[in-house]
Amino acid sequence: MAPPPHPAQALRIEHATLSTSLGDDWLTSVVAFSAQRKQFRYREVDGVKLLTAPADDVAGPTRGRDRLNALIRAAWRPMMAHLHALPQVPTLYLLALPAWASTTTAATSRDLSRDDPALQAFGQDLGHACRQAGLPVHGTRAFAGGAETCHRALAHAFLALRHDSPPAQVVLLAADSLCDQDVLLRDWRAERIYARNNSSGWVPGEAAAALLLQPVAAAERKRAGGTVLHTPAVADAPEASPRWPSQRAGDGRALEQAVQAALQAAGLPLHDVRQHISDSDGSPWRQEDMAAALGRLSASDSGHGWRAGPLQPAELLGQLGAAWGAVQWALAAGLHRHGLMDVGQALCSTQDIAGPCSAGAIECAAA
C-alpha cells in the first residue's frame, strides 16, 4: 500500500531577497528585469576584454571567499531583518554554494558529502550567526555544486518536512560568482566564455538570493495565493565528462528526465504549464538539448503540444552557477507579486555544463 500523502505538498515563498547585476535588492532587480535592462561590463582577462554581468555595488573588487561572502551578506542581512519581525519558530537553514566551496573531489554535486569540512564550516557559521541574533535553528546544511544545487537543497527541505519533528519554515540562501577573477581566468582558458569566436560560451554573472519558505498543504496552496514551489528533481548526466564543450551531439535525456519527474511530483501535465523559466542564454548546446528534451515531452503529452512562454534570465543576468534556482524563484515571485507578469503555472529548469540537469514546478496564484 502506498503511504498517505504528506500534508505539506508545497513550500510557499513568504519573503525573498535578491542581489544581481541589475540591483542590490529584490524590488530593484525585479523591476529592472521586467524592463529588460542589462548591466554588462567588460573585464580584462589574459589581455582580452570579456563581457560580464558583475554585481559590483555588492562585491566590488574582492575575490575568492571574500567575494562569495559579500554576495551572501547582501542576501542574508535583509532576510535576517525580516525574520526578526516575525514570530520566532524553528527554522531549517540551507545554503547553495559553488562547487569550489567544497574540499571534496566529487564527480557530481550529489556526491559531495555532508561530512565535507568546508561545507560543514559554512553551515556552522550560519547557524552560529542565527543563534547569536536570537533566531531559533532547527538545523543547517550546505550544498555545493553547479546550476542544479538549489534544486538539491530544495529537495532536502521537502525530505526534512517528512521527519517526526519537521521545521516550521525553511530559509534557502544561495550565492555564486562567475565574475570572480580566478573563476573568469579558469573559464576563459577552458573556452567556456562568450567571445567573437565562441558563440557557445556564456556571459559570466553573479548573484545571491534568500527565500523564506513555509509549508502549504496541497488543498490550501491555491487558496493561500502567492508563489509555491513543488518538489524538484535532478538528473545526472550519463557520463562524468562535461556535456560541453564536446563533440557528441546532445540528446537532452538528463533534462527530459528531470522535467518529467518534476511535473509528476507536482501533479501537473505539461500542457498546463504556461511559462518555462530556464538558465538558457541562447547558446547552441543548451538550445539543442532543450529542444530535444521538450520536443519529446510535448509529443508524448496526449497530443496537446506545448506552447509555454520562454523566460531566460541569463540573457540579462549572465550565468549564475549555484545561485540559479533561488534566483529564478525570487524573480518569478517578484514579477507575480508586483503585477509585472502573469506567471501562472511555470517550469523552472537548469542545465549545468558538467551534465546534471534539474527542474521544478512552481505556481503563482492570487490569494
Side-chain angles (χ1 to χ4, degrees):
M1 180 181 295
H6 191 269
Q9 295 287 351
L11 284 164
R12 183 176 59 207
I13 298 177
E14 294 292 337
H15 187 66
T17 65
L18 180 62
S19 183
T20 69
S21 61
L22 299 181
D24 57 6
D25 63 69
W26 185 28
L27 181 58
T28 303
S29 291
V30 168
V31 171
F33 178 80
S34 176
Q36 295 289 290
R37 294 176 191 158
K38 288 183 181 179
Q39 295 288 348
F40 288 175
R41 299 287 183 269
Y42 282 105
R43 287 278 176 84
E44 188 168 317
V45 177
D46 274 353
V48 178
K49 289 185 177 179
L50 302 176
L51 210 55
T52 65
D56 281 339
D57 289 347
V58 168
T62 57
R63 59 200 299 174
R65 177 74 179 260
D66 289 340
R67 192 174 191 89
L68 183 63
N69 284 340
L71 290 166
I72 291 172
R73 286 193 297 269
W76 169 241
R77 285 176 174 170
M79 177 58 75
M80 184 168 63
H82 181 78
L83 291 170
H84 272 300
L86 301 176
Q88 301 303 296
V89 297
T91 304
L92 173 63
Y93 292 91
L94 302 175
L95 277 164
L97 304 170
W100 62 259
S102 168
T103 55
T104 300
T105 301
T108 72
S109 63
R110 182 188 60 185
D111 301 325
L112 294 175
S113 170
R114 66 184 305 164
D115 298 325
D116 178 86
L119 294 184
Q120 278 190 333
F122 270 106
Q124 290 167 358
D125 288 349
L126 179 58
H128 178 70
C130 292
R131 294 184 182 96
Q132 287 286 97
L135 298 173
V137 178
H138 179 278
T140 62
R141 176 82 183 270
F143 295 79
E148 79 290 348
T149 307
C150 281
H151 285 94
R152 291 201 192 278
L154 185 64
H156 178 79
F158 277 98
L159 288 175
L161 294 175
R162 294 181 175 272
H163 291 174
D164 293 336
S165 300
Q169 60 188 20
V170 178
V171 170
L172 171 60
L173 177 58
D176 199 353
S177 173
L178 276 66
C179 294
D180 181 271
Q181 194 66 24
D182 297 328
V183 176
L184 275 175
L185 183 62
R186 177 201 70 189
D187 289 343
W188 168 247
R189 292 180 175 176
E191 300 181 349
R192 295 174 175 175
I193 295 180
Y194 175 81
R196 288 181 180 179
N197 60 348
N198 185 16
S199 62
S200 287
W202 60 66
V203 174
E206 59 188 353
L211 302 174
L212 172 60
L213 307 170
Q214 290 191 345
V216 180
E220 296 291 326
R221 70 178 191 266
K222 290 189 177 180
R223 185 164 28 189
T227 300
V228 298
L229 312 180
H230 291 279
T231 304
V234 180
D236 288 313
E239 300 177 30
S241 60
R243 157 68 183 94
W244 179 90
S246 73
Q247 297 302 312
R248 72 180 193 278
D251 63 6
R253 292 291 176 185
L255 180 61
E256 181 184 5
Q257 291 170 13
V259 170
Q260 205 164 29
L263 292 175
Q264 184 175 5
L268 287 175
L270 183 64
H271 62 265
D272 281 352
V273 175
R274 297 171 53 185
Q275 302 284 342
H276 181 205
I277 308 171
S278 72
D279 63 345
S280 178
D281 49 16
S283 54
W285 72 274
R286 292 180 192 274
Q287 297 291 80
E288 182 183 62
D289 275 22
M290 190 180 295
L294 299 182
R296 284 192 298 270
L297 287 170
S298 180
S300 64
D301 188 36
S302 305
H304 287 279
W306 191 41
R307 296 292 184 269
L311 192 63
Q312 300 181 166
E315 293 178 347
L316 301 179
L317 301 176
Q319 286 298 332
L320 304 179
W324 280 131
V327 171
Q328 293 173 336
W329 304 325
L331 283 174
L335 292 168
H336 170 70
R337 179 173 298 187
H338 297 289
L340 297 171
M341 177 180 285
D342 184 11
V343 179
Q345 296 179 146
L347 173 70
C348 296
S349 71
T350 71
Q351 299 166 272
D352 192 75
I353 62 159
C357 293
S358 61
I362 69 172
E363 294 183 81
C364 299

